[in-house]
């Protein structure tokens, strides 16, 4: 007879995602015991469904990418307003990082860059994919800004997209360290002001 699961694997994965997002993989708060407590699964069910703790972490990273990061990047890439779209993307990012349920957690992918498992090939592949999607979305918005005459011609698109991606990483790190929304918005406005032809 087939093995019938008496739990929702996606709900368990979502709870594991939140745990790893907030604590990473190397702390006592994300031990196997903590994972079983957070997910509500015993060890045998956890391993049978997801494999090792490392496999669960990879699945949680993938879930974060698909459910949280990718939709935001898609909205930015498809927005036809140019620089205002970039401004609103970063403003929303700062709001999410500094207020509400996930305030102070940063970005799970930015956190993963300094996680004990950051050199694992599977983790590296996901980190590279996340960076590519973020950079490409920013590049699309910058290309729209060029068409609309909003971007100074001295700014190369590729380099500017990479710079803005690094700004996003910095916002995530600084918010996790306690920087206020006002501080981060000030940095954002200064950075974006340099992109205007008037600068």
């Amino acid at each position: 007879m087939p093995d019938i699961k008496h739990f929702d694997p996606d709900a368990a994965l979502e709870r594991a995602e939140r745990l790893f997002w907030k604590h990473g993989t190397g702390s006592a708060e994300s031990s196997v015991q903590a994972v079983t407590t957070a997910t509500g699964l015993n060890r045998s069910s956890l391993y049978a469904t997801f494999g090792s703790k490392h496999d669960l972490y990879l699945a949680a990273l993938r879930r974060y990418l698909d459910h949280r990061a990718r939709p935001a990047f898609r909205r930015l890439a498809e927005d036809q307003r140019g620089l205002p779209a970039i401004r609103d993307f970063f403003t929303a990012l700062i709001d999410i990082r500094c207020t509400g349920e996930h305030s102070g957690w940063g970005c799970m992918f930015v956190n993963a860059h300094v996680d004990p498992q950051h050199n694992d090939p599977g983790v590296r592949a996901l980190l590279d994919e996340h960076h590519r999607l973020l950079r490409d979305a920013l590049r699309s918005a910058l290309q729209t800004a060029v068409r609309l005459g909003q971007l100074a011609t001295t700014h190369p698109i590729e380099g500017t997209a990479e710079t803005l991606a690094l700004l996003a990483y910095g916002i995530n790190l600084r918010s996790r360290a306690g920087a206020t929304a006002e501080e981060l918005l000030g940095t954002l406005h200064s950075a974006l002001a340099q992109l205007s032809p008037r600068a």
Side-chain angles (χ1 to χ4, degrees):
M1 293 181 62
D3 182 28
I4 300 175
K5 290 182 172 60
H6 298 284
F7 62 92
D8 181 348
D10 189 64
L13 181 57
E14 191 273 339
R15 290 191 288 270
E17 173 197 335
R18 291 167 56 86
L19 182 72
F20 290 133
W21 178 6
K22 186 175 183 180
H23 299 295
T25 65
S27 68
E29 289 84 356
S30 57
S31 65
V32 172
Q33 181 58 52
V35 171
T36 59
T37 300
T39 59
L41 305 179
N42 59 43
R43 291 191 182 209
S44 62
S45 294
L46 183 71
Y47 294 142
T49 302
F50 299 107
S52 66
K53 177 184 172 182
H54 175 66
D55 293 331
L56 178 61
Y57 178 57
L58 287 175
L61 273 174
R62 171 60 67 182
R63 189 184 191 283
Y64 183 99
L65 179 66
D66 291 341
H67 286 76
R68 300 181 188 275
R70 193 185 296 271
F73 299 161
R74 184 183 302 116
R75 287 192 297 271
L76 174 60
E78 295 174 353
D79 196 313
Q80 295 301 303
R81 294 177 299 140
L83 289 184
I86 295 174
R87 179 200 63 218
D88 289 352
F89 169 80
F90 277 99
T91 300
L93 175 65
I94 291 169
D95 182 62
I96 291 170
R97 296 298 177 242
C98 295
T99 63
E101 179 184 2
H102 306 119
S103 174
W105 291 18
C107 166
M108 188 175 182
F109 270 82
V110 175
N111 299 345
H113 279 84
V114 294
D115 190 85
Q117 299 192 39
H118 71 278
N119 281 324
D120 173 82
V123 174
R124 293 300 318 169
L126 285 169
L127 292 178
D128 290 343
E129 182 179 356
H130 175 270
H131 179 76
R132 176 181 56 79
L133 290 169
L134 171 58
R135 181 201 60 215
D136 290 353
L138 289 164
R139 182 176 60 202
S140 293
L142 288 166
Q143 289 169 337
T144 300
V146 169
R147 290 196 301 271
L148 296 174
Q150 300 169 343
L151 189 67
T153 57
T154 54
H155 294 291
I157 296 296
E158 292 295 333
T160 303
E162 285 285 353
T163 299
L164 289 175
L166 294 178
L167 176 62
Y169 293 165
I171 286 171
N172 282 299
L173 285 172
R174 289 290 298 136
S175 67
R176 189 171 174 88
T180 67
E182 291 74 17
E183 292 169 333
L184 297 173
L185 285 169
T187 301
L188 170 64
H189 294 155
S190 295
L192 295 184
Q194 303 305 311
L195 300 181
S196 169
R198 292 184 299 275

